[in-house]
Amino acid sequence: GIQVEQSPPDLILQEGANSTLRCNFSDSVNNLQWFHQNPWGQLINLFYIPSGTKQNGRLSATTVATERYSLLYISSSQTTDSGVYFCAVERGNDMRFGAGTRLTVKP
Amino acid sequence: NAGVMQNPRHLVRRRGQEARLRCSPMKGHSHVYWYRQLPEEGLKFMVYLQKENIIDESGMPKERFSAEFPKEGPSILRIQQVVRGDSAAYFCASSPPATSARAQYFGPGTRLTVL
């Protein structure tokens, strides 16, 4: 099956800093999503981005499908950004998640 | 428009009992997915259903686990004779009936604890 790798596995930031999270995948996909799982376990859909660039407030994402990676940018991080960020790719009916990047934003 | 709803949010069972987890998709969504998140692990796909059909159950354990999505009512994930290793967060997601790739929207999850 398709392999999904996320980096870095852990990231600690000071409030206000910027960060870039990366998602690499091993095969062509027809869907890619970024999710945020907050410290209370709730999963939030951030971006549905099989290709191109999208922005939503302080977050933006870029997927380069031909090179099989996606990037999630977080600018001016806040403590509420803490949690685990998952990248998920879909090929046909098969959806695979990466292991996640655990982000901790310190005040 | 209410989001994906799951109940119960927390479920405690003793070994050998049955667990039933319910998922009501978003209005207008006819595709449901179940995922399991074991402690300190990522999300793992379990099963993909449309109304009255199981499309892909490649992630379901071969025994004790079953899922359904009837014509009326919520999708049900059923775990028979639970064991401690079944303790996990179970998430349901739904997506609309489009033929092309589509976004999935997650419910709040059900946290199952097996004593």
Side-chain angles (χ1 to χ4, degrees), chain B residues 1 3 11-12 15 22 31 33 38-39 42-44 46 57-58 64 66 71 76 80-81 85 93-94 102:
Chain B
N1 187 9
L11 183 60
V12 179
R15 279 179 298 171
R22 294 174 184 77
H31 301 249
Y33 308 77
L38 293 167
L43 284 150
K44 297 270 170 55
M46 298 182 76
E57 56 182 346
S58 58
R64 302 187 297 107
S66 62
K71 187 176 181 181
I76 306 286
Q80 295 177 291
Q81 299 175 321
S94 73
R102 54 203 172 267

Side-chain angles (χ1 to χ4, degrees), chain A residues 4-72:
Chain A
V4 184
E5 292 184 0
Q6 289 188 243
S7 59
D10 292 280
L11 186 58
I12 300 174
L13 298 175
Q14 209 64 38
E15 198 168 25
N18 303 328
S19 62
T20 301
L21 282 59
R22 187 177 181 102
C23 173
N24 293 331
F25 43 97
S26 61
D27 207 340
S28 58
V29 298
N30 58 328
N31 183 4
L32 186 145
Q33 293 181 253
W34 283 96
F35 297 94
H36 174 217
Q37 187 172 41
N38 65 21
W40 296 270
Q42 191 174 4
L43 270 167
I44 309 295
N45 181 312
L46 295 176
F47 292 103
Y48 167 74
I49 185 167
S51 64
T53 298
K54 289 187 177 180
Q55 178 149 13
N56 184 4
R58 296 181 296 103
L59 303 181
S60 64
T62 295
T63 297
V64 184
T66 52
E67 297 187 23
R68 299 180 186 169
Y69 73 89
S70 183
L71 302 173
L72 177 70

Side-chain angles (χ1 to χ4, degrees), chain A residues 30-31 33 35 37 40-45 48 50 84 86 90 92-100 102, chain B residues 9 33 35 37 40-45 48 55-56 58 89 91 100-108 111:
Chain A
N30 58 328
N31 183 4
Q33 293 181 253
F35 297 94
Q37 187 172 41
W40 296 270
Q42 191 174 4
L43 270 167
I44 309 295
N45 181 312
Y48 167 74
V84 182
F86 289 104
E90 189 171 359
N93 292 329
D94 187 16
M95 186 159 180
R96 302 279 167 168
F97 284 79
R102 184 173 297 276
Chain B
R9 295 292 304 278
Y33 308 77
Y35 298 87
Q37 186 176 31
E40 303 301 320
E41 291 189 19
L43 284 150
K44 297 270 170 55
F45 167 78
Y48 165 37
I55 306 302
D56 181 354
S58 58
F91 290 93
S100 59
R102 54 203 172 267
Q104 293 186 19
Y105 296 87
F106 279 77
R111 276 147 188 82

